[in-house]
Amino acid sequence: IEAAAVEATADGFRWTFAPMVDVARDARWGRGLEGAGEDAYLSRQFAAARVRGFQGPDLSRPDAMLATPKHFAAYGAAEGGLDYSVSDISERTLREVYLPPFRAALDAGALSIMSAFNEIGGVPSTANPALLTGVLRDEWKFKGFVVSDYTADEELVEHGYAANPREAARQAFMAGTDVSMQSGLYARYLPELVASGEVPMARLDDAVRRVLRVKQRLGLFDDPMRGLDGPPAAQRTENPEFIALARESARRSIVMLKNERALLPLSKAGTKIALIGPFAEGTVDLMGAWSLSPGQSAPVGVDQGLRAALGADSSVNVVRGSGIESALPGGIDAAVAAARRKDSD
């Protein structure tokens, strides 16, 4: 995480919408891949460690980034594994499972937090004063600011919680959402809401102070271009130490449940391997979630890596077998045939 912060700040980024600390116990929920899994204790440890990695010991350092634990709260408990859905959980489960990773992240120093899309007990998180003011401010004494998830404030209308966008802006802001990420509702409606008295000026002052205080901690008032005057970004993102770290992290992340018939290590002498699956070939799917481009150096495909490691005497037969979400004509038959010709798969 510290390496990621160094690379990102080299391009001028001082705020990241991470870490995702939601506990995920439904395998159908795709965003579980961003978190630490189903265990609340492990999630707490990861949350704190990732915040420390992003922010370091001093937020004003040129290579430090403001962390944003998300999504507050219980987003991982969405019914049916459906994103943007409701979470029907008890107060005990909320406090014993889903809130502790956020508390760990804030205790580690995070000064921003992102509200969630989901409802809890019929109240969308972005307009939930019990969460954003009661828990965060009154109980945990959080001094940072809350940012909405994308257009979560605007979506209060779709939840049926707000009658219109103007009311959605008022509800979200008064509940404790200080910053609207994307919708533009605050810019559009807060001036008239303050002028009409529906939003007290004191509440607006609180939100502004929170944001300015964090910007001050980041050193942005002293040097808004902080971090951009070092070595070129390309050098920092192609740091050999970071590349080696990524490789070591990948090695350590691999778990083999059973080395049946002493399959590993593979022999380099004339081994025939069937590599089957929709991700077996190419590099487009290897960058993971939230990746827009491969960076300076393209990754190495699984098939490429195996061929390079095994040498000319061995063969790797790649068969897709199926698409990611659909069947391929003859795909299963081709995969079975390839498996029958292999030594290992």
Side-chain angles (χ1 to χ4, degrees):
I1 297 299
E2 182 180 352
V6 171
E7 291 183 340
T9 54
D11 275 330
F13 295 99
R14 301 306 307 278
W15 184 22
T16 178
F17 292 152
M20 199 283 272
V21 303
D22 294 305
V23 175
R25 294 181 169 178
D26 189 331
R28 294 172 295 181
W29 190 56
R31 299 202 66 171
L33 63 89
E34 298 176 57
E38 63 183 9
D39 185 77
Y41 175 79
L42 183 65
S43 295
R44 294 204 310 270
Q45 306 311 306
F46 269 82
R50 293 178 74 187
V51 168
R52 291 193 297 266
F54 281 127
Q55 298 192 168
D58 181 2
L59 262 181
S60 66
R61 285 175 40 174
D63 57 1
M65 295 183 74
L66 176 67
T68 310
K70 62 183 185 181
H71 310 81
F72 195 70
Y75 195 35
E79 289 185 346
L82 297 175
D83 225 19
Y84 292 63
S85 190
V86 302
S87 299
D88 188 10
I89 57 177
S90 67
E91 178 79 7
R92 176 179 176 178
T93 300
L94 177 67
R95 289 186 173 272
E96 291 187 357
V97 176
Y98 294 97
L99 292 187
F102 289 96
R103 181 61 187 269
L106 299 187
D107 287 346
L111 288 174
S112 68
I113 193 168
M114 185 182 295
S115 66
F117 283 119
N118 61 285
E119 299 178 4
I120 299 177
V123 182
S125 297
T126 302
N128 191 331
L131 278 176
L132 304 184
T133 299
V135 173
L136 275 182
R137 307 293 178 187
D138 298 339
E139 294 183 31
W140 295 356
K141 311 303 179 187
F142 178 55
K143 301 300 182 184
F145 64 87
V146 177
V147 59
S148 71
D149 193 351
Y150 210 63
T151 58
D153 51 351
E154 188 172 39
E155 289 167 27
L156 296 177
V157 178
E158 295 181 40
H159 277 284
Y161 197 75
N164 51 57
R166 184 182 186 277
E167 179 63 12
R170 188 193 68 81
Q171 289 178 341
F173 195 67
M174 291 304 297
T177 303
D178 301 300
V179 177
S180 173
M181 186 197 296
Q182 174 67 22
S183 70
L185 294 193
Y186 283 12
R188 195 178 313 153
Y189 295 113
L190 274 183
E192 63 181 80
L193 287 168
V194 172
S196 68
E198 294 169 81
V199 169
M201 180 61 77
R203 167 69 186 108
L204 181 63
D205 289 342
D206 282 343
V208 171
R209 286 192 187 98
R210 289 165 185 166
V211 174
L212 294 180
R213 190 181 298 119
V214 173
K215 286 187 175 183
Q216 184 180 41
R217 289 281 299 275
L218 283 166
L220 297 180
F221 295 123
D222 298 322
D223 182 5
M225 302 300 175
R226 181 182 298 268
L228 294 177
D229 55 355
Q235 293 181 18
R236 284 182 270 183
T237 56
E238 291 290 301
N239 187 324
E241 293 183 11
F242 294 166
I243 294 174
L245 176 63
R247 183 181 292 273
E248 180 64 16
S249 299
R251 286 195 186 106
R252 294 193 179 197
S253 70
I254 297 171
V255 177
M256 187 175 189
L257 298 180
K258 185 178 181 181
N259 193 13
E260 194 169 73
R261 290 183 293 177
L263 175 65
L264 296 183
L266 294 174
S267 171
K268 293 185 178 181
T271 299
K272 292 184 294 184
I273 294 177
L275 194 59
I276 297 170
F279 302 116
E281 190 173 31
T283 62
V284 68
D285 298 301
L286 296 184
M287 297 303 294
W290 298 112
S291 297
L292 300 180
S293 62
Q296 309 298 322
S297 300
V300 176
V302 176
D303 57 323
Q304 295 172 313
L306 277 173
R307 289 190 175 104
L310 291 171
D313 291 339
S314 298
S315 65
V316 178
N317 184 19
V318 179
V319 179
R320 287 179 58 84
S322 71
I324 299 171
E325 297 182 347
S326 60
L328 292 177
I332 298 300
D333 291 338
V336 170
R340 286 174 174 163
R341 292 193 300 268
K342 54 75 184 172
D343 293 322
S344 309
D345 57 33

